[in-house]
Amino acid sequence: PRLRDLGVEVGVFAPGPLNAITDVAGVRVGHDTLIEGDRLRTGATAIVPHEGDLFQEKVPAAVVVGNGFGKLVGSTQVNELGQLETPILLTNTLNVWEAAATLAEEALAAPGNEAVRSVNPVVGETNDGYLNDIRSRALKPEHFRAALSGAESGPVEEGSVGAGTGTRTMGYKGGIGTSSRKLPHSLGGGYTVGVLTQTNFSGLLTVAGAPVWRDFGPKPYPEHDLSSKDGSCMIVVATDAPIDARQLKRLALRALVGMGRTGADFSNGSGDYVIAFSTSELVRIQADQSEQTIPRLSEASLTPLFDAVAEATEEAILNAILRATTVQGRDGNVSEAIPIERLKDSLRRYGAISSDDE
Amino acid sequence: PRLRDLGVEVGVFAPGPLNAITDVAGVRVGHDTLIEGDRLRTGATAIVPHEGDLFQEKVPAAVVVGNGFGKLVGSTQVNELGQLETPILLTNTLNVWEAAATLAEEALAAPGNEAVRSVNPVVGETNDGYLNDIRSRALKPEHFRAALSGAESGPVEEGSVGAGTGTRTMGYKGGIGTSSRKLPHSLGGGYTVGVLTQTNFSGLLTVAGAPVWRDFGPKPYPEHDLSSKDGSCMIVVATDAPIDARQLKRLALRALVGMGRTGADFSNGSGDYVIAFSTSELVRIQADQSEQTIPRLSEASLTPLFDAVAEATEEAILNAILRATTVQGRDGNVSEAIPIERLKDSLRRYGAISSDDE
Amino acid sequence: PRLRDLGVEVGVFAPGPLNAITDVAGVRVGHDTLIEGDRLRTGATAIVPHEGDLFQEKVPAAVVVGNGFGKLVGSTQVNELGQLETPILLTNTLNVWEAAATLAEEALAAPGNEAVRSVNPVVGETNDGYLNDIRSRALKPEHFRAALSGAESGPVEEGSVGAGTGTRTMGYKGGIGTSSRKLPHSLGGGYTVGVLTQTNFSGLLTVAGAPVWRDFGPKPYPEHDLSSKDGSCMIVVATDAPIDARQLKRLALRALVGMGRTGADFSNGSGDYVIAFSTSELVRIQADQSEQTIPRLSEASLTPLFDAVAEATEEAILNAILRATTVQGRDGNVSEAIPIERLKDSLRRYGAISSDDE
Amino acid sequence: PRLRDLGVEVGVFAPGPLNAITDVAGVRVGHDTLIEGDRLRTGATAIVPHEGDLFQEKVPAAVVVGNGFGKLVGSTQVNELGQLETPILLTNTLNVWEAAATLAEEALAAPGNEAVRSVNPVVGETNDGYLNDIRSRALKPEHFRAALSGAESGPVEEGSVGAGTGTRTMGYKGGIGTSSRKLPHSLGGGYTVGVLTQTNFSGLLTVAGAPVWRDFGPKPYPEHDLSSKDGSCMIVVATDAPIDARQLKRLALRALVGMGRTGADFSNGSGDYVIAFSTSELVRIQADQSEQTIPRLSEASLTPLFDAVAEATEEAILNAILRATTVQGRDGNVSEAIPIERLKDSLRRYGAISSDDE
């Protein structure tokens, strides 16, 4: 189930119709999942900001580093120019370079880009090496192309799929999750914020504030062992608000706030990154124009968007966990889906579900 | 009461004996409170890292910017050199410069500093202008000197005192709060982390995960008005772990995670900063030595410290709110202390207090 | 003399009519110089971006840290919001707080700001403690007010004046210097860039590439003593190009390139900062508007502006040295003006002045 | 020739015996050059910090972004952890991902790393697309392996070789260049700094201050065309000084100062990055130790190292240009080596070579 199917709400703003990053018009998501034999449990997820050629019509973007372990391929150019010029791919830690090369090749091969000799692909990752034979680096260009070409609007598949196939989160199976917020016109100009997360981090699972980890584990620091404290979280934030790269960076930081509320511990080995972009046609960067006229929202008007990003990130992470299914992988390693009935009991105990909600 | 007096615990590590920043050996805290007539409700709080002359024995330090509204006087030099060379003062937004000048004068006047011609005071602030006639800039050097000279180890006065005299937090009176964590030897080397906060920010009050704002307000975005979304939070983190400035910066970021868990919204106008320092004698910077021998902790060993910082920050903020008393200030403006009995009811409803805890 | 009076040119673009920061329309500069008795040799310099109320009509701005020793009061808010809301004051290291307080009081007292309860003054500094009794902290609000109220358009007084009264640079007297570049329409849209510097740093004086330090000193590392390696440089960059804060940050970095070309060594103790702002009316931030329509220049079109900033900074620093006059200060300390005839000989030797130029 | 063969000196410190990055004990450099048919003119250069396994014995490191166009694969983790755990590869813009994947595979395959499931390769690049058919992405793992396995101490091949095969610099053929500085014991503790650069940027060629671009071109902004303003520069800084990551970041910034002195314009499309690391055995990070004892140099003692980095970078870039040979590449495009005799004439005119030096 998704979080709201349990009768649990996070925050104060209403989700968009799909409660997904695809509520931001034009955004498409595609997955490619690789489950093969006993040892491969991995995949890729593509987030495509708009229908056009991203290289010719770049979007304002920013990257924020929560904890810079791991890789966020392409981050320096995004922050220097404030622009994203390819779709975003998420995948496993040791296949990021193949993912980036595939994005570059797609851009070079696109009609109109025959003279392009530089492109900056953006790829994020988390480490699925507990379930997946990550050292085999099994993903190939065809997997990334499949994720890209399969990207579509509409509902987003969540859980143990695509780049979330082999990920684990706070003791349970994690994966891909998404959520959105549609602001009222009177407050946030009616803009939409959508978030997609690839969850793979340690911490103390907290659902809408309820410390469910106290009820049914796992134990923090079992045997005083640090090895279970690890992981990573990739967060992609999309909005149709016409805001610039500096403002997107401010938004992106609030995604980390939402992540923190789920119990994430931002441990030393966690690669926690946020990529935020605006899909607004009003602020796209036309490659051939030296001057454009654009809207500029005031800084004060960002506050509701900040809240929306934090809420949607928290809910997207919880959706990832709730929709993930048990996966057995390499060497018999198993990551269990969260037990929904026990979770509901716990949520009732903490007043996050009332009896009426059942 | 403090949070633990209600029977509520945050996180997994045990507090130090005082559950205060002063559990980090050598750290002293002093307040000076200015309540005068109908209009002045302000003050200063000093945090002194050790008993010696900070200028001659500097401590490793780092500043992290959560939201860079407002001022953190001295931040650039702290981050360039990785050093703190004066005590820290917290005060109101429009008196930071007088506070900084006072710190500088104290350093210049100290024995042994007769030839010093440059010093970098560090001052943080939040805006108490709702209760306090902040435009009158009422604090003078003597107030800051009183906070400094009154600094002492032992229990820390919390709530509507010192730099927290006129602050408000998520609909209630805020102020100064503190908390600490003492790590077990087997995990975190037995190190202590202490946090002190000056709370003055908006958001949806959440206590140990319990969304008490749903029960007794205030409403988010009343009348769709952004003017209540504002404020700031200053967080000071002390530890006796012998870590360097880059590592302290990593620690400091986790304070923002703890802050987020209290419901903070990091709104546009919120100046949210963390200053972290190490008191360990092993890593102090001796002004006259060109080379020292120091310990270096591995990055992996920081993870329990990260958790400790997040936990202690969350609890410190909640202590600030719980211990704050109602204050009436300029133009009849009132900020009410949180109603403890209603809060306890709400906490029971959310399972944060069991019946047995009453 | 100024650099061009010697027949020396830097770079490829032509200066504006005044070859000063005041070539950027609306920018005004004011000095207040304090020379008193044997021991006071200091002052303040104000840079005012436009004629209006900065608080009500803020300008896009950015701060870049070259070497973060020293203070740049107000930097965090400038970078968070991308806005400058007061004039800029430059002064000596130990009077920055009085300068900032004065800027705040001026803003609070301005008509229309009666309800303002937060303001972010920006103040830079260098350390004139060799010539000036800096420990006496002699500058008072009246000095800063005089610099502000005396700000005017037109030619800018350079050398041992205002905030440059007591500064030294690469072995000679330094001070205030300025320069500008007016771009051709075909390249840079006809925009103007102006730079003002407060020079107080060590290094190996290099004039338009000529290593004149080889000819007439001073020696680098005399007696292998590091104490002469010190100082600071404040650089203010103004432009009428309608660019945003992120782009201004890119521009500001290029000022450090120009500074490096003068032989600056960016030593450990040097506080090297750049503050850049746009005066364009098209991009001013109107306090009461939640959305504005603005132009956006492409990133590629910034390249000529980058060159212009580097050139103008190099020339501004050289103008500061060339126009500075010998100053004797505290304890009989003297800083000599650069000997112009010897400099000209040296420049001829290095082909920076041809025989025809004499 | 190298710069010193012309009788030209840069700065005040003496080079090491090889005047190369390999003067830093243990550092090795390897090239692989791909010249094939009419269209392939590219290659790879490896910089290996020490003889051991970098993954098991990491070195303190930092990355500084001058202009963040282009990619610096691996930068975020280097800056978060302050560690470099693979050799560094330099190559062309569109082959960075293959280079990174090769580094990762080498690390995974190394003895003792059988359980490693995450590694952070570091790869820099510049765009050789004018001479090289960069869109064909011709470099394969074998090329990168060849550069790595061929890495050796001793003199470094410079100019049109390895990652410099197809690069151009300020109108002339560029390439790989290197230089070093050995500090006197009395000043810099006798430490060595070595720099290696991959030069591919636009600007106004300046040799030891001499504006030789004025004499023999190329013209700045020919036909007011921005398309010639482009490129990138990768700078690798090695030192045996036992300094930490924050201090290395301070060092790295000074490399940009040296680069600026060669006339570099840091244009919009230039990817200008510095990677700095310490080879000192005293500060290596042993993967299996949670606490080590290390030396810490004072900040003040860094100043001579700062100068050394700036000097060596300037000279390394000039060596790259001077040693580069004319290359004809794709579509008949030619980049000419700088004409040495004309250059010497020009340098004489500017007093950079005396008659006696001939």
Side-chain angles (χ1 to χ4, degrees):
Chain A
R2 306 186 80 193
L3 184 66
R4 286 175 191 255
D5 297 336
L6 304 185
V8 179
E9 292 188 6
V10 161
V12 301
F13 291 119
L18 300 166
N19 194 11
I21 195 171
T22 44
D23 284 324
V24 181
V27 174
R28 288 172 296 141
V29 174
H31 296 300
D32 190 66
T33 302
L34 178 61
I35 297 180
E36 207 176 280
D38 287 349
R39 303 184 62 79
L40 299 183
R41 302 290 182 271
T42 190
T45 296
I47 300 94
V48 187
H50 65 64
E51 295 280 345
D53 182 314
L54 259 287
F55 192 84
Q56 290 164 21
E57 283 194 283
K58 307 180 207 291
V59 294
V63 171
V64 161
V65 179
N67 189 53
F69 203 101
K71 305 142 224 330
L72 196 290
V73 179
S75 68
T76 55
Q77 183 166 321
V78 170
N79 281 339
E80 179 75 35
L81 304 182
Q83 301 172 359
L84 176 69
E85 64 186 25
T86 69
I88 298 163
L89 277 173
L90 307 178
T91 187
N92 77 58
T93 304
L94 294 181
N95 272 131
V96 288
W97 312 292
E98 286 73 23
T102 305
L103 284 169
E105 296 206 330
E106 295 285 305
L108 296 175
N113 292 349
E114 292 77 9
V116 169
R117 295 203 293 267
S118 180
V119 59
N120 185 56
V122 172
V123 182
E125 50 83 17
T126 71
N127 198 309
D128 54 19
Y130 179 77
L131 294 174
N132 178 45
D133 178 11
I134 193 170
R135 286 173 55 95
S136 69
R137 304 192 342 96
L139 294 172
K140 305 301 172 197
E142 67 242 37
H143 298 108
F144 299 112
R145 276 199 203 98
L148 288 163
S149 65
E152 53 191 11
S153 53
V156 173
E157 202 178 346
E158 296 176 304
S160 308
V161 65
T165 302
T167 64
R168 299 180 301 152
T169 308
M170 297 186 282
Y172 301 97
K173 183 72 187 68
I176 300 293
T178 189
S179 181
S180 71
R181 290 297 181 272
K182 174 103 173 66
L183 297 182
H185 274 276
S186 56
L187 254 186
Y191 296 119
T192 295
V193 166
V195 174
L196 183 143
T197 62
Q198 175 193 23
T199 74
N200 190 47
F201 56 85
S202 54
L204 302 172
L205 179 62
T206 304
V207 175
V212 299
W213 65 273
R214 292 193 191 271
D215 280 11
F216 62 111
K219 291 237 178 304
Y221 296 104
E223 310 294 319
H224 282 184
D225 173 13
L226 280 176
S227 69
S228 66
K229 308 292 280 185
D230 215 337
S232 287
C233 190
M234 291 296 315
I235 306 174
V236 178
V237 176
T239 184
D240 56 4
I243 56 180
D244 71 20
R246 184 183 47 73
Q247 294 175 319
L248 284 162
K249 189 168 263 189
R250 303 187 74 194
L251 248 68
L253 189 84
R254 276 65 184 181
L256 297 175
V257 174
M259 178 179 159
R261 288 178 182 153
T262 67
D265 59 12
F266 298 88
S267 69
N268 167 63
S270 198
D272 304 319
Y273 295 91
V274 189
I275 312 164
F277 59 84
S278 168
T279 63
S280 168
E281 293 193 31
L282 301 172
V283 294
R284 286 193 197 152
I285 298 111
Q286 309 295 340
D288 56 348
Q289 293 188 21
S290 65
E291 185 171 339
Q292 295 180 252
T293 297
I294 60 168
R296 181 179 63 194
L297 297 193
S298 73
E299 301 302 311
S301 66
L302 299 180
T303 290
L305 289 161
F306 291 171
D307 275 329
V309 167
E311 289 185 13
T313 302
E314 182 178 354
E315 187 163 334
I317 290 170
L318 296 172
N319 280 338
I321 299 168
L322 284 164
R323 303 228 21 216
T325 45
T326 298
V327 169
Q328 175 164 356
R330 72 166 176 93
D331 301 334
N333 287 343
V334 178
S335 178
E336 300 278 355
I338 194 165
I340 299 292
E341 290 309 315
R342 287 189 66 187
L343 174 64
K344 285 165 76 173
D345 287 346
S346 182
L347 289 170
R348 266 182 221 107
R349 177 169 134 72
Y350 293 115
I353 307 179
S354 71
S355 302
D356 304 338
D357 288 330
E358 294 179 66
Chain B
R2 305 187 79 194
L3 184 67
R4 285 175 191 255
D5 297 334
L6 303 185
V8 179
E9 293 189 5
V10 161
V12 301
F13 291 119
L18 300 166
N19 195 10
I21 194 171
T22 44
D23 284 323
V24 180
V27 174
R28 288 172 296 143
V29 174
H31 296 299
D32 191 65
T33 303
L34 178 60
I35 297 181
E36 205 177 282
D38 288 347
R39 303 184 61 79
L40 298 183
R41 302 289 183 272
T42 191
T45 295
I47 299 95
V48 187
H50 65 64
E51 294 281 345
D53 182 314
L54 261 286
F55 192 84
Q56 290 164 21
E57 282 195 284
K58 307 180 208 289
V59 294
V63 170
V64 161
V65 179
N67 189 53
F69 204 101
K71 305 141 224 330
L72 197 289
V73 178
S75 68
T76 56
Q77 183 166 322
V78 170
N79 281 339
E80 180 75 36
L81 305 182
Q83 301 172 358
L84 176 68
E85 65 186 23
T86 69
I88 299 163
L89 277 173
L90 307 178
T91 188
N92 77 58
T93 303
L94 294 181
N95 272 130
V96 288
W97 312 292
E98 286 73 23
T102 306
L103 284 169
E105 297 206 329
E106 294 285 305
L108 296 175
N113 293 348
E114 293 76 9
V116 170
R117 295 203 292 268
S118 180
V119 59
N120 185 56
V122 172
V123 182
E125 49 84 16
T126 71
N127 197 309
D128 55 18
Y130 179 77
L131 293 174
N132 178 46
D133 178 13
I134 194 170
R135 287 173 54 95
S136 70
R137 306 193 338 97
L139 293 172
K140 305 300 172 198
E142 67 241 38
H143 298 107
F144 300 113
R145 277 200 203 97
L148 288 163
S149 64
E152 53 190 12
S153 54
V156 173
E157 201 178 348
E158 296 176 303
S160 308
V161 64
T165 302
T167 64
R168 300 180 300 153
T169 308
M170 296 186 282
Y172 301 98
K173 185 70 187 69
I176 300 293
T178 189
S179 182
S180 71
R181 290 296 182 272
K182 174 103 172 66
L183 297 181
H185 274 277
S186 56
L187 254 185
Y191 296 118
T192 295
V193 166
V195 174
L196 182 143
T197 62
Q198 176 194 23
T199 74
N200 191 46
F201 55 85
S202 54
L204 301 172
L205 179 62
T206 303
V207 175
V212 299
W213 65 273
R214 292 192 192 271
D215 280 11
F216 62 111
K219 291 236 178 304
Y221 297 104
E223 310 294 318
H224 283 184
D225 173 14
L226 281 175
S227 68
S228 66
K229 308 292 279 184
D230 217 338
S232 286
C233 190
M234 291 297 314
I235 305 172
V236 178
V237 176
T239 183
D240 56 4
I243 56 180
D244 72 19
R246 184 183 48 74
Q247 294 175 319
L248 284 162
K249 189 169 264 190
R250 301 187 76 194
L251 248 68
L253 189 84
R254 277 64 184 181
L256 297 175
V257 173
M259 179 180 159
R261 288 178 182 152
T262 67
D265 59 13
F266 298 88
S267 69
N268 168 63
S270 198
D272 304 319
Y273 296 89
V274 189
I275 311 165
F277 59 84
S278 168
T279 62
S280 169
E281 293 192 33
L282 302 172
V283 294
R284 285 194 198 151
I285 298 111
Q286 308 295 339
D288 56 348
Q289 293 188 21
S290 66
E291 184 169 340
Q292 295 179 253
T293 298
I294 60 168
R296 181 180 63 194
L297 297 193
S298 72
E299 301 301 312
S301 66
L302 300 180
T303 291
L305 290 162
F306 291 170
D307 275 328
V309 168
E311 289 185 13
T313 303
E314 182 178 354
E315 188 163 333
I317 289 170
L318 296 173
N319 280 338
I321 298 168
L322 285 164
R323 302 222 30 211
T325 45
T326 298
V327 170
Q328 175 163 356
R330 73 165 176 93
D331 301 333
N333 288 342
V334 178
S335 178
E336 300 278 357
I338 195 166
I340 299 293
E341 290 309 315
R342 286 189 67 186
L343 174 64
K344 284 165 76 173
D345 288 345
S346 182
L347 289 170
R348 269 182 219 106
R349 177 170 134 73
Y350 293 115
I353 308 180
S354 70
S355 302
D356 304 339
D357 289 330
E358 293 178 69
Chain C
R2 307 186 79 193
L3 183 67
R4 286 175 191 255
D5 297 334
L6 304 184
V8 179
E9 292 189 5
V10 161
V12 300
F13 291 119
L18 301 165
N19 194 11
I21 195 172
T22 44
D23 283 324
V24 181
V27 174
R28 289 172 295 142
V29 174
H31 296 301
D32 190 66
T33 303
L34 177 62
I35 297 180
E36 206 176 281
D38 288 348
R39 303 184 61 79
L40 299 183
R41 303 289 183 272
T42 192
T45 295
I47 299 94
V48 187
H50 65 64
E51 295 280 345
D53 181 314
L54 260 288
F55 192 84
Q56 289 163 22
E57 283 194 284
K58 307 180 208 290
V59 294
V63 170
V64 161
V65 179
N67 190 52
F69 204 101
K71 304 143 226 329
L72 196 291
V73 179
S75 68
T76 54
Q77 184 167 323
V78 170
N79 282 339
E80 179 75 35
L81 304 182
Q83 302 173 358
L84 176 69
E85 64 186 24
T86 70
I88 298 163
L89 276 174
L90 307 178
T91 187
N92 78 58
T93 304
L94 294 181
N95 272 131
V96 288
W97 311 292
E98 286 74 23
T102 306
L103 283 169
E105 297 206 329
E106 294 285 305
L108 296 175
N113 293 348
E114 292 76 9
V116 169
R117 295 203 292 265
S118 179
V119 59
N120 185 56
V122 172
V123 182
E125 51 82 18
T126 72
N127 198 308
D128 55 19
Y130 179 77
L131 294 173
N132 178 46
D133 179 13
I134 194 170
R135 288 173 54 94
S136 70
R137 306 196 334 101
L139 294 172
K140 304 300 172 198
E142 67 240 39
H143 298 108
F144 299 113
R145 279 201 201 96
L148 288 163
S149 64
E152 52 190 12
S153 54
V156 173
E157 203 177 347
E158 296 176 303
S160 308
V161 65
T165 301
T167 65
R168 300 180 301 152
T169 309
M170 296 186 282
Y172 301 98
K173 184 71 186 70
I176 299 293
T178 189
S179 182
S180 71
R181 291 296 182 271
K182 173 103 172 67
L183 297 182
H185 274 275
S186 55
L187 254 186
Y191 296 119
T192 294
V193 166
V195 174
L196 183 143
T197 62
Q198 177 193 22
T199 75
N200 191 46
F201 55 85
S202 55
L204 302 172
L205 179 63
T206 303
V207 176
V212 299
W213 65 273
R214 293 193 192 270
D215 279 11
F216 62 113
K219 291 237 178 304
Y221 296 104
E223 310 294 319
H224 283 184
D225 174 13
L226 280 175
S227 69
S228 66
K229 308 293 279 185
D230 217 337
S232 287
C233 190
M234 291 297 315
I235 306 174
V236 178
V237 176
T239 183
D240 56 4
I243 57 181
D244 71 19
R246 185 182 47 74
Q247 294 174 319
L248 284 162
K249 189 169 263 189
R250 302 187 75 193
L251 248 68
L253 189 85
R254 277 65 184 181
L256 298 175
V257 174
M259 179 180 159
R261 288 178 182 153
T262 68
D265 60 13
F266 297 88
S267 69
N268 168 62
S270 199
D272 304 319
Y273 295 90
V274 189
I275 313 164
F277 60 84
S278 167
T279 63
S280 168
E281 294 192 31
L282 300 172
V283 293
R284 285 193 198 151
I285 299 111
Q286 309 295 340
D288 56 348
Q289 293 187 21
S290 65
E291 185 170 339
Q292 294 180 254
T293 298
I294 60 168
R296 181 179 64 193
L297 297 192
S298 72
E299 301 301 311
S301 66
L302 299 180
T303 290
L305 290 162
F306 289 170
D307 275 328
V309 168
E311 289 185 12
T313 302
E314 183 178 354
E315 188 163 333
I317 289 170
L318 296 172
N319 281 338
I321 299 168
L322 285 164
R323 304 231 15 220
T325 45
T326 298
V327 169
Q328 176 164 355
R330 72 166 176 92
D331 302 332
N333 287 342
V334 178
S335 178
E336 299 278 357
I338 196 166
I340 299 294
E341 289 309 315
R342 287 188 67 184
L343 174 64
K344 285 164 76 173
D345 287 346
S346 182
L347 289 171
R348 268 183 219 107
R349 177 170 135 72
Y350 293 115
I353 308 180
S354 71
S355 303
D356 304 338
D357 289 329
E358 294 179 69
Chain D
R2 305 187 80 192
L3 184 67
R4 284 174 192 256
D5 298 333
L6 303 185
V8 179
E9 292 189 6
V10 161
V12 301
F13 290 119
L18 301 166
N19 194 10
I21 194 171
T22 44
D23 284 324
V24 180
V27 174
R28 289 172 295 141
V29 174
H31 296 300
D32 189 66
T33 303
L34 177 62
I35 297 181
E36 205 175 283
D38 288 348
R39 303 185 61 79
L40 298 183
R41 303 288 182 272
T42 192
T45 295
I47 299 93
V48 187
H50 65 63
E51 295 280 344
D53 182 314
L54 260 287
F55 191 84
Q56 289 163 22
E57 284 194 283
K58 306 180 208 290
V59 294
V63 170
V64 161
V65 179
N67 190 53
F69 204 102
K71 303 143 225 331
L72 196 290
V73 178
S75 68
T76 54
Q77 184 166 323
V78 171
N79 282 339
E80 180 75 35
L81 305 182
Q83 302 173 358
L84 176 69
E85 64 186 25
T86 70
I88 298 163
L89 277 173
L90 306 178
T91 188
N92 77 58
T93 305
L94 294 181
N95 272 129
V96 288
W97 310 293
E98 285 74 23
T102 305
L103 284 169
E105 296 205 330
E106 295 285 306
L108 296 176
N113 292 349
E114 293 76 11
V116 169
R117 294 204 294 267
S118 180
V119 58
N120 185 55
V122 171
V123 183
E125 51 84 16
T126 72
N127 198 309
D128 55 19
Y130 179 77
L131 294 173
N132 178 46
D133 179 11
I134 194 170
R135 288 172 54 96
S136 71
R137 306 194 336 99
L139 294 172
K140 306 299 172 198
E142 68 239 38
H143 298 107
F144 300 113
R145 278 200 202 97
L148 288 163
S149 65
E152 52 190 12
S153 55
V156 173
E157 203 178 346
E158 296 176 304
S160 308
V161 65
T165 301
T167 64
R168 299 180 301 152
T169 309
M170 297 187 281
Y172 301 99
K173 185 71 186 69
I176 299 294
T178 189
S179 181
S180 72
R181 290 296 182 272
K182 174 103 172 66
L183 297 182
H185 274 277
S186 56
L187 254 185
Y191 296 119
T192 295
V193 166
V195 174
L196 183 142
T197 62
Q198 176 194 22
T199 74
N200 190 47
F201 56 86
S202 54
L204 302 172
L205 179 62
T206 303
V207 175
V212 300
W213 65 274
R214 291 193 192 270
D215 280 12
F216 62 112
K219 293 233 179 305
Y221 297 105
E223 310 294 320
H224 283 183
D225 173 14
L226 280 176
S227 67
S228 65
K229 309 293 280 186
D230 216 338
S232 287
C233 191
M234 290 297 315
I235 305 174
V236 178
V237 176
T239 184
D240 56 5
I243 56 181
D244 71 19
R246 185 183 46 74
Q247 293 175 320
L248 285 162
K249 190 168 262 189
R250 301 187 75 194
L251 248 68
L253 189 85
R254 276 64 184 181
L256 298 175
V257 174
M259 179 179 159
R261 288 179 182 153
T262 68
D265 59 13
F266 297 87
S267 67
N268 168 62
S270 199
D272 304 320
Y273 295 89
V274 190
I275 312 164
F277 59 84
S278 167
T279 63
S280 169
E281 293 193 33
L282 302 171
V283 294
R284 284 192 199 153
I285 298 111
Q286 308 296 339
D288 56 348
Q289 293 187 22
S290 66
E291 184 168 341
Q292 296 180 252
T293 298
I294 60 168
R296 182 179 63 194
L297 298 192
S298 73
E299 302 301 311
S301 67
L302 299 180
T303 290
L305 290 162
F306 291 170
D307 274 329
V309 168
E311 289 185 13
T313 302
E314 182 178 355
E315 188 163 333
I317 289 170
L318 296 172
N319 280 338
I321 299 168
L322 284 163
R323 303 228 20 216
T325 46
T326 298
V327 170
Q328 176 164 354
R330 73 166 175 92
D331 301 333
N333 288 343
V334 178
S335 178
E336 300 277 357
I338 195 166
I340 299 294
E341 289 310 314
R342 287 190 66 185
L343 174 65
K344 285 164 75 175
D345 287 346
S346 181
L347 289 171
R348 269 183 218 105
R349 178 170 133 73
Y350 293 115
I353 307 180
S354 72
S355 302
D356 305 338
D357 288 331
E358 294 179 68

